[in-house]
Amino acid sequence: MGYSKSDFRISKHSLKRLAIAMTCLTIGLGEAAAQESPGGDVSSQSTASDAPPITVPLTGESTIGELLSHPALRTFTTHILPWANRNYQEDMPLTQIARLLPYHSDVNLETVLSGLNRLIELQQHGAPVFHEIYSEEERARRSDLDEAGLFFFPGKPGAPFAIIAPGGGFSYVGSVHEGFPYAMVLAELGFNAFVVTYRTGQGGQVATQDMARAVDYVMANSTVLQVATDGYSVWGSSAGARMAAYIGSHGPDAFGANTTKRPSTVVMAYTSHRDIGETEPPTYVIVGERDGIAPPSSMQPRVTALKKLGTDVAFRVVPDIGHGFGAGTNTPAEGWIREAASFWQAHLPENSHRLLPAHQNQETSN
């Protein structure tokens, strides 16, 4: 793409906020202000202007307009909601947010609100949650690059990272359903998790270029972000799963990135995808038995092809559920994110953090 390390430079202000936030997350958000370090207490390391104002969480009765204007989120709310460049009905309550996700099912309000309020909480405690992956100069030259970006849910410092691509048929980005909820679970398990937003309306190749650029961004800033560069994973659902699979099959550099290191694991949820690389990373695959968009029969050929290459594959078909179930809250798919994280951990380099009990590989197929 012809970019340099300067394109990934994090501002000194963001560096300071991230250092404070990582300390907060390590010792506990509620206790951070009372803890002292050799240089003084945590709160004294930032000025009053560094601290976001105290804010209240969102509820189901909060409106889209209240989300868009929320003090902790308003600088990047256009990246939170699914559709780029849309004039939203601002009086619509969040209880109706599923209306913005036509390709998805089982959209659980509590799960959506948990992800949004976690963003608020992280911002409140000084974490730079949203990161531009393209420089200001690049975005000035190409306005569509404004759609792309990266949300960070910190886990344990030094732990491996995952990059998650939500779906939406390359028409919208369903982060509230298939991005933030996944990242929350992974971060709670100790992994570092990123959710990529990407350009829509231009197909899978362009979207995958944004995911590849996100890998570059994390790699270039791994020291500041306190993430391990070995053993990263890529996750995707529906359209996002195609993006993750492309990165796994061909590497980020095949889509314009500088990074040649391929992921240690690919996690694919409910998509048909036939493209296969010469070698393939271990792959976790999940789909609903009643999926009418990407039925299990359409995913089986890829699973078979991966196994022929000698790739370790976990293939789970979830009964009585359709397409786009996301985290699967209150459905037969509930808990699958932790299961996939265990599969990922089983394929980490030997010197990586071990955050979960030993993986027990279980395959489920029809």
Side-chain angles (χ1 to χ4, degrees):
M1 273 190 176
Y3 49 83
S4 65
K5 289 184 178 180
S6 64
D7 292 326
F8 298 112
R9 188 176 295 123
I10 299 178
S11 70
K12 290 182 179 179
H13 177 72
S14 293
L15 287 174
K16 185 176 182 180
R17 291 181 65 195
L18 182 58
I20 294 169
M22 293 302 288
T23 304
C24 292
L25 291 163
T26 301
I27 65 177
L29 289 169
E31 303 172 3
Q35 297 293 323
E36 289 190 358
S37 66
D41 65 27
V42 170
S43 60
S44 71
Q45 296 176 32
S46 63
T47 65
S49 62
D50 289 329
I54 299 297
T55 54
V56 295
L58 295 165
T59 70
E61 297 308 311
S62 301
T63 65
I64 292 293
E66 288 170 330
L67 168 61
L68 291 170
S69 62
H70 196 285
L73 306 176
R74 60 189 175 197
T75 59
F76 49 78
T77 46
T78 55
H79 294 275
I80 292 175
L81 291 173
W83 297 86
N85 305 314
R86 168 172 286 197
N87 292 322
Y88 287 97
Q89 181 184 334
E90 295 196 9
D91 62 351
M92 187 180 84
L94 295 182
T95 52
Q96 299 179 29
I97 198 166
R99 289 170 50 192
L100 304 179
L101 302 160
Y103 299 149
H104 293 89
S105 64
D106 296 290
V107 178
N108 182 273
L109 178 62
E110 183 179 348
T111 301
V112 169
L113 290 174
S114 293
L116 294 174
N117 285 323
R118 182 57 172 164
L119 290 177
I120 292 170
E121 185 179 40
L122 289 169
Q123 280 288 100
Q124 181 63 52
H125 289 85
V129 169
F130 181 74
H131 297 253
E132 298 284 1
I133 59 175
Y134 292 104
S135 69
E136 187 175 348
E137 292 75 17
E138 288 173 307
R139 287 181 281 120
R141 291 194 299 267
R142 290 197 56 177
S143 61
D144 64 331
L145 297 180
D146 283 329
E147 289 186 54
L150 200 62
F151 288 90
F152 183 27
F153 287 69
K156 185 176 180 179
F161 71 88
I163 293 188
I164 302 159
F170 301 117
S171 297
Y172 66 89
V173 182
S175 300
V176 296
H177 179 58
E178 290 176 338
F180 306 149
Y182 298 13
M184 275 190 65
V185 174
L186 291 176
E188 287 167 0
L189 294 173
F191 297 102
N192 292 292
F194 297 85
V195 179
V196 63
T197 63
Y198 50 88
R199 287 171 284 174
T200 53
Q202 300 185 59
Q205 293 293 310
V206 169
T208 307
Q209 289 170 14
D210 293 338
M211 191 174 193
R213 179 61 177 257
V215 175
D216 265 1
Y217 181 89
V218 177
M219 290 292 188
N221 293 289
S222 60
T223 301
V224 174
L225 297 169
Q226 299 185 52
V227 303
T229 57
D230 290 333
Y232 77 96
S233 63
V234 287
W235 297 53
S237 300
S238 196
R242 296 189 186 189
M243 297 160 59
Y246 276 133
I247 297 291
S249 297
H250 307 292
D253 53 315
F255 299 91
N258 293 327
T259 302
T260 59
K261 185 179 293 185
R262 291 165 67 187
S264 67
T265 300
V266 173
V267 177
M268 300 179 65
Y270 40 79
T271 196
S272 300
H273 187 74
R274 299 295 181 93
D275 178 84
I276 299 287
E278 293 183 2
T279 61
E280 289 284 344
T283 303
Y284 177 97
V285 180
I286 187 168
V287 63
E289 184 181 38
R290 294 191 291 101
D291 195 321
I293 296 176
S297 60
S298 72
M299 299 189 75
Q300 183 66 61
R302 179 174 181 80
V303 170
T304 301
L306 292 177
K307 289 181 177 180
K308 285 183 178 179
L309 289 176
T311 302
D312 187 17
V313 182
F315 182 32
R316 180 179 175 188
V317 179
V318 184
D320 196 32
I321 197 168
H323 187 79
F325 52 76
T329 307
N330 298 330
T331 77
E334 187 163 17
W336 79 266
I337 298 170
R338 185 185 180 97
E339 181 180 275
S342 182
F343 179 88
W344 170 26
Q345 179 172 269
H347 296 93
L348 288 171
E350 290 185 2
N351 61 346
S352 296
H353 284 70
R354 287 296 183 265
L355 303 170
L356 296 169
H359 168 70
Q360 295 181 350
N361 192 357
Q362 297 181 344
E363 288 192 18
T364 304
S365 59
N366 285 350

